[in-house]
Amino acid sequence: DIHFLSVCGMSILTKAVLADVSGHGEESAEVARIIHDALQQSIGAHDNSAMLSSVNEAFLRRRTGAFKFTTMVSTIIDSRDRSLVYAYAGHPSILRGSKGRFTPVRPESGAPPGMPLGIVRGGALRYEQHHAQLAKGDVLVLHTDAFTEAKLPDGELLGEEGLIRLLETAGTMQP
């Protein structure tokens, strides 16, 4: 997994990115370099969808070895108006906690989470950017499928609902 967090010099905008790479070792290191380069090029941009598209194209140009794909979520939080701008590339939904309850952050349009990166070349492929309004005290949980695909003692997967139950029973809204 690869994570990136940056805050602008005026502490207004926070960019958080989480990627889940298929593969390990040198393959993951190459993916981290591709993501780092794309993030550096778009550090001040408000367009998560364009950043995901550029990472996708970079993967397809530079893909080698066993690397297959990666999922990613890219977010920008504006502290002035508590807005969240986000885009998914096949990644699990962000979980939003408010007053002890968690819900998935999904587009109102019901749009799917986008294609994972490194599978389909640009053209018609477009990663949609979405908006959500946050409230004071909201907590955001960005996670990978390592949590939702964890097996319970009975062999069943924890799933998104199980992760939400765990977060809610943890009894705290502090990070």
Side-chain angles (χ1 to χ4, degrees), residues 48-64:
N48 291 302
S49 58
M51 191 272 297
L52 290 174
S53 293
S54 72
V55 172
N56 184 58
E57 289 303 312
F59 283 163
L60 291 167
R61 279 192 310 274
R62 295 167 61 181
R63 178 165 55 189
T64 61

Side-chain angles (χ1 to χ4, degrees), residues 4-6 14-18 48 73-77 142:
F4 176 87
L5 181 68
S6 71
T14 301
K15 181 175 274 196
V17 177
L18 182 61
N48 291 302
V73 58
S74 180
T75 67
I76 300 169
I77 301 166
L142 281 67

Side-chain angles (χ1 to χ4, degrees), residues 49-116:
S49 58
M51 191 272 297
L52 290 174
S53 293
S54 72
V55 172
N56 184 58
E57 289 303 312
F59 283 163
L60 291 167
R61 279 192 310 274
R62 295 167 61 181
R63 178 165 55 189
T64 61
F67 171 72
K68 296 179 184 93
F69 64 91
T70 188
T71 65
M72 185 183 291
V73 58
S74 180
T75 67
I76 300 169
I77 301 166
D78 188 325
S79 65
R80 294 171 296 194
D81 63 1
R82 294 188 184 105
S83 61
L84 169 67
V85 179
Y86 64 97
Y88 295 120
H91 202 81
S93 296
I94 301 164
L95 299 178
R96 175 183 178 181
S98 179
K99 300 177 183 160
R101 306 291 303 167
F102 282 85
T103 56
V105 176
R106 295 194 178 109
E108 288 183 15
S109 67
M115 181 70 68

Side-chain angles (χ1 to χ4, degrees), residues 116-139:
L117 303 168
I119 295 177
V120 176
R121 190 163 300 282
L125 180 64
R126 173 92 172 121
Y127 295 97
E128 292 185 33
Q129 182 161 271
H130 305 281
H131 303 267
Q133 189 62 47
L134 303 174
K136 186 175 182 176
D138 279 358
V139 172

